Amino acid sequence: MSDINWRDITEDESLFDEQNKDREILIETSDNHSLHFSKARYVQNYPYMDRSIQQPVTRYAFID
């Protein structure tokens, strides 16, 4: 069980909503399943890639 509210990026694209662009997020990369902190604005819409670390994103969670 996890306290993190993970969102599959292919199913939930609220990350790309204008009101969320400055929110901090935790991402899981699809290459090596590592976790990184980032900002929503750094993730590009398809192909889902975090531009700050040049890694594909599988899922994300907003940090509140």
Side-chain angles (χ1 to χ4, degrees):
M1 189 157 136
S2 173
D3 289 343
I4 299 173
N5 183 19
W6 287 111
R7 299 165 186 240
D8 185 312
I9 198 163
T10 61
E11 296 174 7
D12 184 337
E13 293 188 348
S14 61
L15 175 71
F16 305 110
D17 293 347
E18 181 66 22
Q19 69 268 17
N20 291 328
K21 72 178 184 178
D22 290 323
R23 291 184 73 180
E24 289 190 44
I25 56 173
L26 179 62
I27 61 170
E28 180 182 54
T29 65
S30 57
D31 283 352
N32 57 9
H33 301 288
S34 62
L35 301 177
H36 299 274
F37 288 101
S38 190
K39 289 262 191 181
R41 71 172 60 234
Y42 299 139
V43 179
Q44 72 181 29
N45 199 343
Y46 198 83
Y48 305 110
M49 177 82 63
D50 186 304
R51 294 184 310 268
S52 67
I53 59 171
Q54 295 300 305
Q55 293 288 316
V57 177
T58 302
R59 59 187 185 155
Y60 69 94
F62 289 112
I63 306 299
D64 293 327

